[in-house]
Amino acid sequence: MKDYIAEAERDLLHTYNRYQVVLDKGEGVHLYDIEGKQYLDFVSGIGVFALGYANKEYNDALKSQIDKVIHTSNYYYNVPAINAAKKLKAVSGMDRVFFTNSGAEAVEGALKAARKYAFLKDGKNDHEIIAMNHSFHGRTFGALSVTGNPHYREAFEPMIGNIKFADYNDFDSVMQQVTDKTCAIIMETVQGEGGIHPATEYFLKKVRALCDEKDILLILDEIQCGMGRTGYMYAWQKFGVKPDIMTTAKALGCGVPVGAFLMTEKAGQNSLVAGDHGTTYGGNPLACAAIDKVLDLFDTNHIIDNVREVSDYLEEKLEELKNRYDFIIDRRGSGLLQGLELDRPVGEIITKALDNGLILINAGTNVIRFIPPLVITKSDVDEMIKILEPCLS
Ligand SMILES: *Cc1c(COP(=O)(O)O)cnc(C)c1O
């Protein structure tokens, strides 16, 4: 592994401080490095591999699509995209779908749609978007512009204009930023990278009502917290607070790079039209065959039922840890997206866990994030705790 790591550090742009492991293959909830060592995976490629690794039905669906055609172009129709869009609409309750290659691109499309919606109303170019402090929406310029972490933005200013920031879960602070020019409010339904903070029902409902009153579009970023992660297909469904535009990615393709932004019929009919937006790869037949199969397997394998059952147990076990160690100051999260906040940086603990065969990741400096494949069992939770606890003590 040392030789590969040295080579990687010579050739790849150093934009990540990577863990010292070269992963080779996966099976269920386990990954293996190239020396054959097994790891229990509580990261799932950051919320991507929801179905676990080497799922035969999923792999077979991809293989058969590869043998047919991988890519055509969005200038032509293809059946996998039609099927994927139909199923995605059914599980989300949204009306219109645009497929992208990644989460950040889904956010870009959502922002463009919101600006176009406002432009069509008054023909002006001065519309404002309200985003949240401590949010994360991706690394491209639009997505970065609404990411409420100055550290990510600092070296790349100027961002796109007319973005204002409010405090998450603080409706008064949103009200302070609203003007006649506000065209959209964007937020994660559960803040992921910012430290695993779920939106409160009160906050979501107040923001929804404000948006209805002023014809502002509510954009919910469900890229990390969507796709069953919280025990609902999309996290907003728990409270029935439906967005006008929603972004989804990560687990949507379970490893094939794909994302989407979805709109209500009203937002869809009054924003982007032919020529306004496009992508070469977005929603190609291979990516859409993946989405199609993922959504089938969510249904037939009762993924959401499993999330609800196992996440209660995970919460219980994490609460026990919190009660045993006074340096753990909080446990929070929703479903299988959980965080333990410590009174100190968690990097060393995560490295130690990795040495002991457990893959974990941080969310910010002081939070250990638990974002496992959605197919984990209670005994996987027990195994995780068994490895993590000695690292903590
Ligand atoms: C990961 C993430 C993104 C960015 O997705 P990419 O596929 O990495 O571009 C955007 N929003 C949220 C909430 C995310 O967790």
Side-chain angles (χ1 to χ4, degrees), residues 56-126:
K56 187 171 183 319
E57 282 178 77
Y58 171 83
N59 287 1
D60 286 346
L62 290 187
K63 286 173 194 167
S64 84
Q65 186 60 46
I66 286 171
D67 288 338
K68 273 183 165 175
V69 65
I70 293 173
H71 181 82
T72 52
S73 157
N74 279 312
Y75 282 106
Y76 315 100
Y77 299 97
N78 73 75
V79 174
I82 293 163
N83 288 340
K86 181 165 66 189
K87 287 177 190 172
L88 193 52
K89 279 178 55 173
V91 295
S92 67
M94 304 297 287
D95 301 313
R96 296 274 170 177
V97 184
F98 183 102
F99 289 116
T100 65
N101 306 285
S102 67
E105 275 177 88
V107 173
E108 296 292 328
L111 297 176
K112 280 180 71 177
R115 277 195 172 171
K116 180 75 190 290
Y117 180 89
F119 177 79
L120 286 175
K121 282 195 294 182
D122 64 13
K124 292 187 179 156
N125 286 111
D126 61 354

Side-chain angles (χ1 to χ4, degrees), residues 18-178:
R18 292 181 164 89
Y19 294 100
Q20 300 299 296
V21 58
V22 183
L23 295 171
D24 184 40
K25 60 178 183 179
E27 181 79 51
V29 297
H30 293 100
L31 281 165
Y32 297 83
D33 69 23
I34 55 170
E35 292 169 0
K37 180 175 165 183
Q38 188 191 68
Y39 301 85
L40 176 62
D41 179 23
F42 262 66
V43 175
S44 60
I46 314 194
V48 169
F49 246 103
L51 297 169
Y53 301 97
N55 180 296
K56 187 171 183 319
E57 282 178 77
Y58 171 83
N59 287 1
D60 286 346
L62 290 187
K63 286 173 194 167
S64 84
Q65 186 60 46
I66 286 171
D67 288 338
K68 273 183 165 175
V69 65
I70 293 173
H71 181 82
T72 52
S73 157
N74 279 312
Y75 282 106
Y76 315 100
Y77 299 97
N78 73 75
V79 174
I82 293 163
N83 288 340
K86 181 165 66 189
K87 287 177 190 172
L88 193 52
K89 279 178 55 173
V91 295
S92 67
M94 304 297 287
D95 301 313
R96 296 274 170 177
V97 184
F98 183 102
F99 289 116
T100 65
N101 306 285
S102 67
E105 275 177 88
V107 173
E108 296 292 328
L111 297 176
K112 280 180 71 177
R115 277 195 172 171
K116 180 75 190 290
Y117 180 89
F119 177 79
L120 286 175
K121 282 195 294 182
D122 64 13
K124 292 187 179 156
N125 286 111
D126 61 354
H127 300 107
E128 297 168 349
I129 294 170
I130 298 173
M132 299 296 142
N133 290 316
H134 306 296
S135 62
F136 182 83
H137 296 290
R139 303 295 197 150
T140 52
F141 266 106
L144 198 56
S145 298
V146 292
T147 288
N149 182 339
H151 173 72
Y152 289 156
R153 297 199 312 262
E154 191 180 21
F156 308 103
E157 298 282 350
M159 296 285 111
I160 66 165
N162 291 17
I163 308 294
K164 295 175 151 191
F165 286 94
D167 288 334
Y168 195 63
N169 282 337
D170 180 348
F171 183 67
D172 289 341
S173 113
V174 174
M175 282 304 290
Q176 281 164 23
Q177 302 300 334
V178 176

